[in-house]
Amino acid sequence: MLTGKNILLIISGGIAAYKVLEVIRRLRDQGASIRAILTQGGAEFVTPLSVAALTENKVYQDIFSLTDEAEMGHIRLSREADLVLVAPASADILAKMAAGMANDLATTALLATNKPVLVAPTMNVEMWNNPATRANIATLESRGILRIGPAGGDLACGETGTGRLAEPAEIIAAVQDFFARQDGPKPLVGKKAVVTSGPTHEPIDPVRYIANRSSGKQGHAIAAELARAGADVTLVSGPVNLPDPVGVNVVRVETARDMLASVQAHMPADIAIFAAAVADWRIKDQAGQKIKKAGDGALPVLQFAENPDILATISQSGPLRPALVVGFAAETENVVDHARAKRARKGCDWILANNVAPDSGTFGGEDNEIHLIAGNDVQSDELWPKQSKIAVARTLVSRIARHFDT
Ligand code: C5P
């Protein structure tokens, strides 16, 4: 499955480094070629000889080695790989990557590479939870660095928690998944998609606003999956705390009206998916200055105005209407009936409906049980099993690919 793939493996320091020997063996079994860089810390846990024997290649350790540089310079080393795998990735090497440091061969190769990087972190639970590590991981992920693990469980230091290196089988699966996605079919090449995501913020005055608790996870996952399937994706997002999905054109907006204007500016499109939790109302007359407390205890009265319905507007936009318009519906009862009525009212093609009743466990959870309502006839309803928001995005995108294929 990995025949012809070149992997640059960077082994940094960690008690779990011994597991990487198994990773090398399995990657080679699948046909991958591996060149390895061993950091000074890594060499305390595995020997260069064992890594060389298993990779059947020279192990690179020293940036100032004239012989190494003459044989294969560090730039070439980092460029000739199809994937750079850092396993185990210590807190230290992750921090150096986040900061862009290059003070040894491993970090120099990581800074010089123009290839995708997958890290398999391992460290003590408190080190993992430390705000510095959290910030480093967020930085690396926002730059598109891929990650597998760490897992929870008993740690080598005697403590328990998140910090265990992913198992060799999981690391291999992550490598396979990467290549499957990179080399896999791209059924939506040539299709233009617009996705909305996140909440909107509706200002009351220059410092206050009305918002909702939408995280944007579902919309962002859909945008990322569409891009992986080869579509040209614009993500119009309200304020969220998420990294921009790789390979997606992200437009940041605040209000419902800005979101609609941005969506319209990106028409025509083939596919439009409206996953944003758009505020139904805005404040009618936004105060130009901060509203002050009245001395006499009188309370301000806010008047609302209705926001545009982006899904309905685009669904009914005539010649500019995308071929496939998809909306969401969160219902607490009669999910299918209500969603079907919503589909007809808004004029979209599909509605993804989920049950958000308090006993459904959907609210605030990671999982979603979805009904796809694609028409008024009963046969066109599909029930997708309970799955993560990322899995929902994958199912939706493969359903879209099937739709355009037939
Ligand atoms: O009417 P309701 O808010 O339940 O509809 C939900 C669907 O409509 C979602 O797909 C949401 O993104 C979209 N919507 C919209 N603009 C609005 C309100 C909802 O695009 N103003």
Side-chain angles (χ1 to χ4, degrees):
M1 189 174 171
L2 298 175
T3 308
K5 300 298 181 198
N6 293 309
I7 296 174
L8 174 64
L9 173 65
I10 295 180
I11 307 170
S12 72
I15 188 85
Y18 71 92
K19 285 193 194 170
V20 89
L21 299 177
E22 176 69 10
V23 171
I24 297 172
R25 203 180 58 70
R26 292 200 196 190
L27 288 174
R28 298 229 37 221
D29 281 350
Q30 300 211 11
S33 306
I34 299 174
R35 288 189 188 274
I37 294 177
L38 194 54
T39 67
Q40 212 180 349
E44 299 289 335
F45 296 94
V46 289
T47 68
L49 193 60
S50 51
V51 176
L54 285 169
T55 58
E56 290 188 76
N57 260 323
K58 181 182 162 47
V59 176
Y60 296 82
Q61 288 184 272
D62 187 357
I63 193 159
F64 300 115
S65 158
L66 203 54
T67 350
D68 287 3
E69 282 294 308
E71 194 181 306
M72 183 184 265
H74 61 273
I75 303 288
R76 235 181 90 202
L77 199 54
S78 72
R79 299 283 168 82
E80 288 199 347
D82 301 303
L83 174 70
V84 181
L85 171 63
V86 190
S90 63
D92 178 69
I93 202 163
L94 293 169
K96 285 176 176 159
M97 286 168 75
M101 288 171 70
N103 61 353
D104 63 5
L105 180 57
T107 49
T108 306
L110 282 162
L111 195 61
T113 194
N114 54 2
K115 294 293 156 52
V117 178
L118 169 66
V119 298
T122 177
M123 64 197 73
N124 165 274
V125 56
E126 296 302 338
M127 291 168 77
W128 176 251
N129 288 334
N130 190 292
T133 306
R134 302 263 48 77
N136 290 335
I137 292 288
T139 301
L140 294 174
E141 289 186 340
S142 74
R143 293 178 193 150
I145 298 233
L146 307 164
R147 174 166 70 83
I148 172 73
D154 292 334
L155 305 177
C157 53
E159 294 182 15
T160 302
T162 301
R164 282 173 67 90
L165 182 68
E167 291 303 321
E170 292 167 334
I171 297 177
I172 304 296
V175 171
Q176 287 174 332
D177 184 60
F178 164 75
F179 284 114
R181 280 162 181 276
Q182 182 186 260
D183 305 340
K186 302 231 178 290
L188 297 181
V189 166
K191 296 273 184 279
K192 201 178 149 200
V194 175
V195 181
T196 67
S197 184
T200 62
H201 284 186
E202 307 296 334
I204 297 170
D205 65 20
V207 297
R208 303 182 178 96
Y209 58 85
I210 301 177
N212 61 64
R213 294 185 200 281
S214 166
S215 67
K217 278 184 195 163
Q218 187 64 81
H220 276 55
I222 290 168
E225 272 316 307
L226 285 168
R228 269 189 213 111
D232 168 8
V233 186
T234 297
L235 173 65
V236 183
S237 176
V240 293
N241 252 328
L242 295 172
D244 290 350
V246 179
V248 168
N249 168 36
V250 181
V251 182
R252 289 181 192 74
V253 296
E254 298 262 327
T255 68
R257 287 193 291 182
D258 291 347
M259 189 174 270
L260 174 61
S262 174
V263 167
Q264 284 171 326
H266 288 91
M267 293 293 136
D270 304 286
I271 304 162
I273 301 181
F274 297 102
V278 184
D280 291 318
W281 311 285
R282 65 177 180 275
I283 302 303
K284 189 158 171 270
D285 299 305
Q286 185 194 326
Q289 304 296 329
K290 185 180 171 194
I291 302 172
K292 297 282 183 201
K293 265 197 245 179
D296 59 2
L299 298 173
V301 175
L302 297 178
Q303 267 219 337
F304 289 94
E306 195 156 325
N307 264 333
D309 188 317
I310 303 170
L311 172 62
T313 307
I314 298 300
S315 293
Q316 296 160 31
S317 58
L320 278 187
R321 185 194 193 276
L324 182 65
V325 182
V326 182
F328 278 77
E331 306 289 348
T332 54
E333 57 175 1
N334 299 335
V335 176
V336 171
D337 287 346
H338 283 167
R340 217 176 269 163
K342 184 168 289 177
R343 195 190 76 80
R345 197 167 60 245
K346 303 248 187 182
C348 59
D349 300 294
W350 297 354
I351 284 267
L352 268 60
N354 60 342
N355 187 350
V356 294
D359 58 356
S360 70
T362 305
F363 233 54
E366 288 293 316
D367 289 346
N368 244 342
E369 190 178 62
I370 297 273
H371 277 275
L372 171 71
I373 313 289
N376 285 322
D377 48 328
V378 177
Q379 289 85 337
S380 58
D381 297 344
E382 294 177 29
L383 177 60
W384 300 351
K386 216 172 183 112
Q387 50 193 322
S388 71
K389 289 177 180 172
I390 290 172
V392 167
R394 281 189 199 144
T395 312
L396 173 62
V397 170
S398 50
R399 187 70 179 72
I400 290 173
R402 226 174 350 119
H403 173 80
F404 280 105
D405 200 31
T406 50

